[in-house]
Amino acid sequence: MAFFIASSPHAHSRRSTPDLMKWVALCALPGLITQTYFFGWGTIIQLVIAITIALGLEALVMVARKRPAMSALRDNSALVTAWLLAVAIPPLSPWWIVAIGLVFAILIAKHLYGGIGQNLFNPAMVAYVVLLISFPVQMTSWISPTELQSAPISFGDAFSLIITGYNLDGLSLQQIRTGIDGITMATPLDAFKTALHTGNTASEALHQPMFGALAGIGWEWVNVAYLIGGLALIKLRVINWHIPVSFLISLTVCSGLFMLLTPGQTASPIIHLLSGATMLGAFFIATDPVSASTTVKGRLVFGAFIGALVFIIRSWGGFPDGVAFAVLLGNMCVPLIDYYTKPRTYGH
């Protein structure tokens, strides 16, 4: 009787890879809905474009590799990659941003290494980093939450901005992002870091209108929504708790320690936990079963390492958020982490 050895991801459950990927997408729905509520229809439009392009690229690559395309499409891995990239980029980015990103994600980060189960890096994060380095203006053009907008952006305006670069009235995205006072809106993490670099204290930085009761308006609730979805993934045993818990504890400890050592010069733990892509990264990105650590101790080290890197990049790096860079650096260290955290063999 032949013994068939399948490639990773391996899961100690009766669920198949398509089933696991489906639950990841379903548990990300609360975050998607909340993000759409606070930042408009652009997120949904980007998601539809991303899924369409990702599935098309996946099918073309499988045909070129002379393998069955439908089996690859049914594993839902391309769908999850498209989903993660679509919610990570600014909602009103040009359509070609997500297209270029998915070319890198599907063709290079995934299939160049042999396809699902053999990629060394998280494909969505590879795409995000390539886009952020190559197109910094487009990748940092976040709009303010609907709460702070003088006139909400309609579905038609969002669609027109993504496809043509202008809304139905002929205004560009940069014109829309610039408020009446001539100040261009930024993300809370970016605004906080800029305020510190210009000589303001942390408390003075938090007086900006984009900061809410806990963190940035809109961003805090988006992170809470992804936290709820992430806890559902743990409850359903789709992911293990080790990576997200160690990630969040490490980020909390680092930010809390430096807040005590350098008061007024570092964001508080609550700002770090509920701003940017913290919860999305902790539960949906860092826990990728292929590119993350596989041992129990290794997952704890992997998550803690990423959490510390996120704090370092946010505090002293050139980019306001560091989740994507931290995850890729963590992926690089996975072989070393797994080597030194292998469980002892029985009877050793």
Side-chain angles (χ1 to χ4, degrees), residues 197-332:
H197 286 170
T198 54
N200 294 299
T201 63
S203 58
E204 291 171 339
L206 294 177
H207 281 92
Q208 299 179 70
M210 67 181 64
F211 289 97
L214 299 173
I217 292 176
W219 294 91
E220 54 195 18
W221 296 113
V222 170
N223 274 278
V224 169
Y226 280 118
L227 171 62
I228 293 171
L231 293 176
L233 286 177
I234 295 175
K235 177 67 175 178
L236 294 167
R237 297 186 178 181
V238 175
I239 63 173
N240 293 299
W241 61 267
H242 308 87
I243 292 175
V245 170
S246 60
F247 178 115
L248 297 178
I249 289 177
S250 175
L251 181 58
T252 302
V253 170
C254 290
S255 55
L257 181 62
F258 275 86
M259 188 178 70
L260 293 175
L261 295 176
T262 56
Q265 298 299 317
T266 308
S268 67
I270 199 69
I271 295 289
H272 279 288
L273 292 176
L274 297 180
S275 293
T278 301
M279 296 301 171
L280 177 67
F283 291 96
F284 293 90
I285 296 174
T287 54
D288 176 29
V290 179
S291 57
S293 181
T294 55
T295 66
V296 174
K297 292 181 181 178
R299 294 190 195 108
L300 293 172
V301 173
F302 179 75
F305 178 63
I306 293 176
L309 284 177
V310 168
F311 172 75
I312 292 170
I313 296 171
R314 285 179 176 179
S315 300
W316 301 290
F319 296 95
D321 202 350
V323 171
F325 291 98
V327 169
L328 293 182
L329 290 171
N331 292 158
M332 292 180 187

Side-chain angles (χ1 to χ4, degrees), residues 90-285:
L92 299 179
S93 300
W95 66 270
W96 48 265
I97 285 287
V98 73
I100 293 174
L102 287 169
V103 168
F104 275 90
I106 303 296
L107 271 63
I108 297 176
K110 182 180 179 181
H111 284 286
L112 193 64
Y113 287 92
I116 184 172
Q118 301 182 59
N119 50 284
L120 300 178
F121 305 99
N122 186 296
M125 292 302 95
V126 170
Y128 183 87
V129 168
V130 168
L131 292 173
L132 185 60
I133 295 173
S134 303
F135 310 102
V137 174
Q138 289 80 3
M139 288 295 291
T140 55
S141 295
W142 283 86
I143 58 172
S144 59
T146 52
E147 219 176 294
L148 299 177
Q149 294 175 13
S150 56
I153 299 173
S154 66
F155 179 87
D157 282 330
F159 184 81
S160 181
L161 280 164
I162 292 171
I163 301 302
T164 68
Y166 298 91
N167 70 354
L168 298 177
D169 294 325
L171 298 176
S172 68
L173 177 58
Q174 294 305 316
Q175 290 174 313
I176 292 173
R177 290 181 65 234
T178 304
I180 299 173
D181 55 2
I183 299 175
T184 302
M185 294 301 298
T187 62
L189 288 173
D190 194 7
F192 189 90
K193 179 180 285 188
T194 301
L196 292 181
H197 286 170
T198 54
N200 294 299
T201 63
S203 58
E204 291 171 339
L206 294 177
H207 281 92
Q208 299 179 70
M210 67 181 64
F211 289 97
L214 299 173
I217 292 176
W219 294 91
E220 54 195 18
W221 296 113
V222 170
N223 274 278
V224 169
Y226 280 118
L227 171 62
I228 293 171
L231 293 176
L233 286 177
I234 295 175
K235 177 67 175 178
L236 294 167
R237 297 186 178 181
V238 175
I239 63 173
N240 293 299
W241 61 267
H242 308 87
I243 292 175
V245 170
S246 60
F247 178 115
L248 297 178
I249 289 177
S250 175
L251 181 58
T252 302
V253 170
C254 290
S255 55
L257 181 62
F258 275 86
M259 188 178 70
L260 293 175
L261 295 176
T262 56
Q265 298 299 317
T266 308
S268 67
I270 199 69
I271 295 289
H272 279 288
L273 292 176
L274 297 180
S275 293
T278 301
M279 296 301 171
L280 177 67
F283 291 96
F284 293 90
I285 296 174

Side-chain angles (χ1 to χ4, degrees), residues 342-348:
K342 288 186 296 185
R344 290 168 65 89
T345 56
Y346 181 75
H348 179 79

